[in-house]
Amino acid sequence: MAEAERIIGTPDTPDDGGERAAAAGTPDGPGASGPSGAGEPATPAGPRTGRGRRIAVLFAVAAFAYALDLISKLLVVAKLEHREPIRLVGDLLELHAIRNPGAAFGFGAAFTVIFTLIAAAVIVVIIRLARKLYSFPWAIALGLLLGGALGNLTDRVFRAPGIFEGEVVDFIAPKGFAVFNLADSAIVCGGILIVLLSFRGLDPDGTVHKD
């Protein structure tokens, strides 16, 4: 987990604006200017305020993705499971309810418990990274990952055959591809966005670097 934070995260960004203002100030206060002290007080918009907004975005995106996944699965189980698939775009796309004991897109059915632990670890890492978050695009990407991981983890914990071994409800079935769900889609979209941000050199703390 610490290694994942080292790769994805960056050190906490210091409040450089506040430190510079304090260093430039006079005994009368950081905002004083000249002997009369008539200067306007400095009111830097520190990065901590921005961080709070980005954290709010992260959890809002996660909650939205999780809610969509949960509601869709409830509807699929109630209306579609044990019934004939519904064709949406001819033979190209169907709604076909299945129970998946493996990872995303049906891979690794023999390692259900391991995938459950991985999903839980991903959630913990993302929550810990939130304290270093100052980037709006990273907030969206991590929110998608968090919402998707929570969606599939809910199935692992609460669905049959038992806790930590529950089978995930999948229902989106493109022709010639594995059946998946909205949580899988959120995870993939979040991962793609992280790759793009990394190529652009944008870090979670909002800084941009060029290798």
Side-chain angles (χ1 to χ4, degrees):
M1 185 179 300
E3 181 66 15
E5 284 195 72
R6 186 187 68 80
I7 296 173
I8 302 177
T10 56
D12 287 287
T13 303
D15 192 355
D16 294 335
E19 292 177 0
R20 287 194 298 267
T26 65
D28 292 332
S33 176
S36 63
E40 296 181 359
T43 56
R48 298 186 186 280
T49 301
R51 181 178 65 178
R53 292 173 181 172
R54 301 309 185 268
I55 292 175
V57 169
L58 187 157
F59 287 110
V61 171
F64 182 72
Y66 177 72
L68 284 182
D69 180 68
L70 181 62
I71 293 171
S72 66
K73 288 174 178 175
L74 291 174
L75 291 174
V76 165
V77 170
K79 304 294 184 180
L80 188 58
E81 200 167 35
H82 307 304
R83 299 180 184 179
E84 291 295 320
I86 298 176
R87 292 186 176 183
L88 295 181
V89 187
D91 293 333
L92 298 179
L93 181 63
E94 294 181 342
L95 295 181
H96 181 200
I98 66 168
R99 297 293 181 110
N100 173 23
F105 309 112
F107 298 115
F111 304 99
T112 304
V113 175
I114 295 176
F115 290 129
T116 302
L117 296 177
I118 292 174
V122 168
I123 292 169
V124 172
V125 169
I126 292 174
I127 292 175
R128 293 186 64 181
L129 284 175
R131 61 190 174 87
K132 304 176 181 180
L133 186 64
Y134 295 93
S135 167
F136 182 77
W138 270 94
I140 295 176
L142 293 177
L144 289 171
L145 288 179
L146 180 59
L150 283 171
N152 283 338
L153 183 61
T154 299
D155 284 357
R156 301 292 187 199
V157 174
F158 294 105
R159 295 195 187 276
I163 188 169
F164 300 134
E165 297 182 350
E167 297 177 342
V168 174
V169 176
D170 289 337
F171 58 92
I172 304 173
K175 183 179 180 181
F177 194 71
V179 185
F180 59 97
N181 57 43
L182 295 182
D184 297 332
S185 301
I187 292 171
V188 171
C189 290
I192 293 174
L193 183 54
I194 286 176
V195 171
L196 294 176
L197 293 174
S198 299
F199 272 119
R200 292 187 58 188
L202 179 62
D203 291 334
D205 67 349
T207 60
V208 179
H209 67 273
K210 294 182 180 181
D211 296 332

